[in-house]
Amino acid sequence: MKGNVIVGQSGGPTAAINSSLAGVYRTAKDRGAKKVYGMLYGIQGLLQERYVDLSEHITTDLDAELLKRTPAAYLGSCRYKLPEIHEDPEMYDRIFEILCKLEIEAFIYIGGNDSMDTIKKLSDYAIVKGHSCRFVGCPKTIDNDLALTDHTPGYGSAAKYIATSVKEIIRDSLSQGYMSKGQVTIVEIMGRNAGWLTGAAALAKGEDCAGPDLIYLPELPFDIDRFLEKIRELLAQKTSVIVAVSEGIRDAEGTYVCESGTATEFVDAFGHKQLTGTAAYLGNVIAGEIGCKTRAIELSTLQRAASHLCSRIDILEASQVGGAAVKAADEGDTGKMVVLERISDDPYQCGTAVKDVHKIANDEKLVPRDWINADGTYVTDEFITYVKPLIQGSVSPIMVDGIPRHLYKPTSML
Amino acid sequence: MKGNVIVGQSGGPTAAINSSLAGVYRTAKDRGAKKVYGMLYGIQGLLQERYVDLSEHITTDLDAELLKRTPAAYLGSCRYKLPEIHEDPEMYDRIFEILCKLEIEAFIYIGGNDSMDTIKKLSDYAIVKGHSCRFVGCPKTIDNDLALTDHTPGYGSAAKYIATSVKEIIRDSLSQGYMSKGQVTIVEIMGRNAGWLTGAAALAKGEDCAGPDLIYLPELPFDIDRFLEKIRELLAQKTSVIVAVSEGIRDAEGTYVCESGTATEFVDAFGHKQLTGTAAYLGNVIAGEIGCKTRAIELSTLQRAASHLCSRIDILEASQVGGAAVKAADEGDTGKMVVLERISDDPYQCGTAVKDVHKIANDEKLVPRDWINADGTYVTDEFITYVKPLIQGSVSPIMVDGIPRHLYKPTSML
């Protein structure tokens, strides 16, 4: 390529998002890009001309390795939805003015649904206005809810963290099982509408672990009475019951379970409800109705930030889609997103392709109904077969003084 | 030794408690014990004659390695305080009847304060009654609050997990820093009265991380007004503020901060209050008073169960104290606890010794006042020097199918 590349990160952080950044940087350099810029805080930062020259940050191969092991958006992220073109054409003019000044040939945006909306609008605008810059999206979300791609980078590492943590929580609960009334542990897992992350709790099951007893995904309505019945049945058989629930489970009327309690709630910039407190609420209901000990655990931020326990497959694929995005743009693609296409489950093989971003943006891929069991309390073997390859392999953290080292981020980038 | 050994685990689980069990088993076998029994669920299970022959569970060297990497009490734990001898002499007779039947020469109990109370009472009773069985305690607690020992096995691994997780949370927060009003993240860490675990959050600080902005230990009274003032000052300088708080912080009157809110509370078998919700409460106060975004994260159970991220020093020392306990009992000690005695900080060197359990039981070691800064908002360099050696080195998890393998625990042990 003859011009420059600019790359941004958007939406919720993941453990793999910087591996995509490293992939973009390396491929852009390999293909002859003069400069690779990083927008600070995504499109929102770019609008204020906040960007860095990545070669000043990734100066050695060791830096690139550290970057792959650094959680959360190295460049900073944003949750910013561009207005429709007709609503604010001046904003689009402003963006393209900056891109022209920087001689940008390829604009790569690493993100989820909302970020692909940005790629769609910018590429549409460029075509209409005759700008030559190409816009390609690079998938990223722990939620795994992007359409047309087999899975999303970031999901595998989150799934590995969830499976490992749930397994450790199960052991912890078992060791305290000598209690007459039993104990119910409820683990709350991210995923507002899609149960991909919550379902990954099933991976805790193996020769040395019975796994969770119940798994509730947000795809199906949650019935509190049937839930309590299940808990009672389980407590009749065992002293420690483990339940994995999505933060987003709703009753048949569509009311979030956590809204039934005292859980806090607020709305983000995209109008999504931010939810917490589902596990705490269910724990309180069980304690009140059944009278046993309960424990509510939110895996919280760590499920997207725990790069000390990432999946090797995930980190490698994240880098690959970054490289593939640059290659696609260099070869003339625009308004596209790189997708992962699975060739086989076992041995696991997966390649990349590019798809029209118009078919991806603002769409949500949910867990298929037949990957959830009949009474909606567990995932099926098909789900396990799908997710298991994605958590394989480890990337050893680079430990300094007992804790993982991350790539240094100067305060000027904050 | 000529007779048999019995070992039990008691109190809250840790990532290192099974390494002590492995150490007890190996040393007992090395010193000629015919049988090494494991009580199921501590003294409470023993009273119901629930025990296993450990050689049926640790059959190979690989089993021993898996055991060291298995979190939470493999044998099951209890929170059971023996009555005073005069209150229920029949119970003591019952215990010694079982011990005699099993030809127990050494009784090793792995636990914290309350467990050392068990060692004290049983050894007192044995001396009075002329029983030859020896009773030695093996320290264990993530809280690090046992007297007379430099530190406790279990603490180092928990500290490493806390430092790593806080560092990852800080990165996650920084990547979302592009918000005008800023965001305050409050990380709630275990430790009812002692701030050893919360102070370990300071280890996140290094060349690549600024560390938390504020650290509040339970040793000093917490003033909500001064806290809000500090938060306001920090938000004037930066967009992301990180606070580490102990679950047990109290105001000047001794009221737990979490009791000011809607936090749940209950009392365990030893009369200790179980606390949750300090971070959530502080987050709500900040949101109400300052109006910025807040995020409350409880590290919860994982700080004691995350054996996938344990400290090598901790796992080795846990095994050493287990072996030293058997050696002490074999050499005639009773009514003692093994302690760790630090020889030097750098290079770190540490040995074992035995101390009278009467001087340890029911005592709590707190963080010294001069290891906390003047205004009570951080730990000092002395604290860092003390804890840093304890988180060094890793024990690689034995990964099977993408997640850590633990030692198999048959359902008969549940």
Side-chain angles (χ1 to χ4, degrees):
Chain A
M1 48 207 320
K2 292 170 185 165
N4 299 326
V5 172
I6 194 161
V7 54
Q9 297 173 308
S10 171
T14 78
I17 187 169
N18 292 327
S19 187
S20 289
L21 180 62
V24 167
Y25 179 74
R26 203 196 53 196
T27 301
K29 282 292 176 189
D30 286 351
R31 296 181 79 96
K34 280 181 294 185
K35 293 271 191 190
V36 183
Y37 294 107
M39 14 184 152
L40 298 180
Y41 303 100
I43 192 75
Q44 199 174 14
L46 184 69
L47 275 163
Q48 305 195 13
E49 293 196 59
R50 292 202 67 194
Y51 51 83
V52 292
D53 178 343
L54 273 173
S55 65
E56 291 172 11
H57 297 268
I58 308 170
T59 58
T60 63
D61 290 344
L62 178 58
D63 284 347
E65 284 302 316
L66 286 169
L67 183 58
K68 289 181 192 170
R69 290 159 171 84
T70 300
Y74 179 73
L75 295 171
S77 182
C78 68
R79 291 186 180 275
Y80 185 77
K81 194 158 186 166
L82 282 179
E84 296 298 326
I85 295 171
H86 70 270
E87 289 172 349
D88 191 355
E90 292 76 19
M91 180 183 282
Y92 286 82
D93 290 339
R94 175 90 188 105
I95 292 169
F96 279 85
E97 192 184 300
I98 297 165
L99 296 180
C100 286
K101 192 179 81 178
L102 294 177
E103 297 172 26
I104 301 300
E105 185 181 331
F107 178 111
I108 312 293
Y109 213 41
I110 308 166
N113 272 319
D114 298 318
S115 311
M116 295 312 134
D117 180 74
T118 298
I119 287 292
K120 177 168 72 82
K121 286 170 177 163
L122 291 176
S123 61
D124 284 355
Y125 185 86
I127 288 166
V128 170
K129 290 283 190 168
H131 287 289
S132 63
C133 180
R134 271 94 66 195
F135 296 84
V136 178
C138 190
K140 172 275 337 169
T141 166
I142 61 165
D143 292 329
N144 198 40
D145 59 355
L146 279 181
L148 299 189
T149 183
D150 178 76
H151 57 281
T152 56
Y155 172 58
S157 292
K160 188 185 187 87
Y161 179 83
I162 290 164
T164 300
S165 297
V166 167
K167 186 170 180 176
E168 290 171 341
I169 288 167
I170 291 173
R171 276 283 169 156
D172 186 275
S173 299
L174 285 182
S175 79
Q176 301 192 88
Y178 207 69
M179 283 168 281
S180 54
K181 279 199 163 182
Q183 173 174 288
V184 180
T185 301
I186 301 157
V187 185
E188 179 172 332
I189 298 170
M190 285 181 170
R192 193 182 289 112
N193 298 317
W196 299 106
L197 289 171
T198 305
L203 294 171
K205 192 172 178 176
E207 292 169 356
D208 56 337
C209 181
D213 296 291
L214 299 167
I215 299 177
Y216 290 98
L217 309 192
E219 278 82 355
L220 296 180
F222 180 82
D223 183 319
I224 189 84
D225 294 322
R226 282 172 55 206
F227 170 68
L228 286 169
E229 199 181 306
K230 282 274 178 197
I231 295 289
R232 282 197 182 91
E233 279 170 31
L234 286 160
L235 284 172
Q237 300 157 29
K238 55 201 299 193
T239 52
S240 173
V241 174
I242 310 285
V243 186
V245 293
S246 158
E247 61 179 353
I249 52 170
R250 276 152 287 186
D251 65 19
E253 280 75 47
T255 306
Y256 285 104
V257 166
C258 65
E259 289 178 5
S260 322
T262 56
T264 48
E265 175 201 319
F266 60 89
V267 172
D268 75 10
F270 287 102
H272 303 145
K273 284 184 177 172
Q274 298 289 303
L275 307 170
T276 53
T278 301
Y281 173 72
L282 293 178
N284 287 340
V285 171
I286 293 169
E289 297 285 327
I290 301 179
C292 67
K293 190 175 170 184
T294 63
R295 188 164 59 155
I297 299 171
E298 280 183 46
L299 293 189
S300 189
T301 305
L302 289 165
Q303 58 203 299
R304 70 183 187 204
S307 59
H308 74 267
L309 187 65
C310 56
S311 148
R312 185 165 193 84
I313 287 287
D314 188 34
I315 296 299
L316 289 180
E317 289 182 343
S319 175
Q320 282 166 15
V321 297
V326 173
K327 181 167 176 283
D330 191 23
E331 291 176 350
D333 277 320
T334 191
K336 299 283 168 67
M337 183 183 87
V338 176
V339 297
L340 288 161
E341 293 193 329
R342 190 181 301 221
I343 298 155
S344 75
D345 288 324
D346 188 13
Y348 175 70
Q349 293 186 327
C350 193
T352 60
V354 290
K355 299 269 177 164
D356 185 349
V357 80
H358 294 78
K359 295 180 178 155
I360 295 165
N362 305 315
D363 196 7
E364 253 182 342
K365 184 180 70 176
L366 303 181
V367 177
R369 178 61 187 91
D370 58 354
W371 287 15
I372 309 171
N373 70 359
D375 67 352
T377 59
Y378 223 84
V379 290
T380 64
D381 289 346
E382 287 89 341
F383 185 98
I384 304 287
T385 303
Y386 166 81
V387 67
K388 194 168 264 186
L390 310 183
I391 68 162
Q392 299 301 314
S394 303
V395 178
S396 311
I398 297 173
M399 303 298 273
V400 175
D401 242 356
I403 60 171
R405 172 59 60 107
H406 302 149
L407 184 61
Y408 175 69
K409 182 168 175 166
T411 49
S412 61
M413 286 175 66
L414 299 180
Chain B
M1 48 206 322
K2 292 171 185 162
N4 299 327
V5 172
I6 194 162
V7 54
Q9 297 174 306
S10 172
T14 78
I17 187 169
N18 292 328
S19 187
S20 290
L21 180 62
V24 167
Y25 179 75
R26 202 195 54 196
T27 301
K29 281 293 175 188
D30 286 351
R31 295 179 81 95
K34 279 181 294 185
K35 292 270 190 191
V36 184
Y37 293 106
M39 15 184 150
L40 297 181
Y41 302 100
I43 192 75
Q44 200 175 12
L46 184 68
L47 274 163
Q48 304 194 15
E49 294 197 58
R50 293 201 67 193
Y51 50 81
V52 293
D53 179 343
L54 272 174
S55 65
E56 291 172 10
H57 297 268
I58 308 171
T59 58
T60 63
D61 290 345
L62 178 59
D63 284 346
E65 284 302 315
L66 286 169
L67 183 58
K68 289 181 191 171
R69 288 159 172 82
T70 300
Y74 179 73
L75 295 171
S77 182
C78 67
R79 290 185 180 274
Y80 185 77
K81 195 159 187 165
L82 283 179
E84 296 298 325
I85 296 170
H86 69 270
E87 289 172 348
D88 191 354
E90 293 76 18
M91 180 181 284
Y92 286 83
D93 290 339
R94 175 90 188 106
I95 292 169
F96 279 85
E97 194 183 300
I98 297 165
L99 297 180
C100 285
K101 193 179 79 176
L102 296 177
E103 297 172 26
I104 301 300
E105 187 181 332
F107 178 111
I108 312 294
Y109 213 42
I110 308 167
N113 273 318
D114 298 317
S115 312
M116 295 312 135
D117 179 75
T118 298
I119 287 292
K120 177 170 72 81
K121 287 170 176 162
L122 291 176
S123 60
D124 285 355
Y125 185 87
I127 288 165
V128 169
K129 290 284 189 169
H131 288 291
S132 63
C133 178
R134 271 95 66 195
F135 297 83
V136 178
C138 189
K140 172 279 332 172
T141 166
I142 61 166
D143 292 329
N144 197 40
D145 60 354
L146 279 181
L148 299 188
T149 184
D150 178 76
H151 58 281
T152 55
Y155 172 58
S157 292
K160 188 184 187 88
Y161 178 83
I162 290 164
T164 300
S165 298
V166 167
K167 186 170 179 175
E168 290 171 340
I169 289 167
I170 290 173
R171 276 284 170 155
D172 186 273
S173 300
L174 285 182
S175 79
Q176 302 193 88
Y178 206 70
M179 283 168 281
S180 53
K181 279 199 162 181
Q183 171 174 288
V184 180
T185 301
I186 302 158
V187 185
E188 179 171 332
I189 298 169
M190 284 181 170
R192 192 181 292 112
N193 299 315
W196 299 107
L197 289 170
T198 306
L203 294 171
K205 192 172 177 175
E207 292 168 356
D208 57 337
C209 181
D213 296 291
L214 299 166
I215 299 177
Y216 290 98
L217 309 192
E219 278 82 356
L220 296 181
F222 181 81
D223 183 319
I224 190 86
D225 294 322
R226 281 172 55 207
F227 170 68
L228 287 170
E229 199 180 307
K230 282 273 178 197
I231 296 288
R232 282 196 182 90
E233 279 171 32
L234 285 160
L235 284 172
Q237 299 158 32
K238 55 199 302 192
T239 53
S240 173
V241 175
I242 311 284
V243 186
V245 294
S246 158
E247 61 180 353
I249 51 169
R250 276 152 288 188
D251 64 20
E253 280 74 46
T255 306
Y256 285 102
V257 167
C258 65
E259 289 179 5
S260 321
T262 56
T264 49
E265 174 199 319
F266 60 89
V267 173
D268 74 10
F270 287 101
H272 302 147
K273 282 184 179 172
Q274 299 290 303
L275 307 170
T276 52
T278 301
Y281 172 72
L282 293 178
N284 288 340
V285 172
I286 293 169
E289 296 285 326
I290 300 179
C292 66
K293 190 174 170 185
T294 64
R295 188 164 60 153
I297 299 171
E298 280 184 46
L299 293 188
S300 188
T301 306
L302 289 166
Q303 58 203 298
R304 70 183 188 203
S307 59
H308 75 267
L309 187 66
C310 56
S311 147
R312 184 164 194 85
I313 287 286
D314 188 33
I315 296 299
L316 289 178
E317 288 181 345
S319 174
Q320 282 166 16
V321 297
V326 173
K327 180 166 178 282
D330 190 24
E331 292 176 350
D333 277 319
T334 190
K336 300 283 169 65
M337 184 184 86
V338 176
V339 297
L340 289 162
E341 293 192 329
R342 190 181 301 222
I343 299 155
S344 75
D345 289 322
D346 187 14
Y348 175 70
Q349 293 186 328
C350 192
T352 60
V354 290
K355 299 269 178 163
D356 184 350
V357 79
H358 294 77
K359 295 180 177 154
I360 295 165
N362 306 317
D363 197 6
E364 253 180 343
K365 185 181 70 177
L366 303 180
V367 176
R369 179 60 188 92
D370 58 355
W371 287 14
I372 308 171
N373 70 358
D375 66 353
T377 59
Y378 223 84
V379 291
T380 64
D381 289 347
E382 288 89 341
F383 184 99
I384 304 288
T385 303
Y386 166 80
V387 67
K388 193 169 267 186
L390 310 182
I391 68 162
Q392 299 302 313
S394 304
V395 178
S396 310
I398 297 174
M399 302 299 271
V400 175
D401 242 356
I403 61 171
R405 172 61 58 111
H406 302 148
L407 185 61
Y408 175 69
K409 182 169 176 166
T411 49
S412 61
M413 286 175 68
L414 299 180

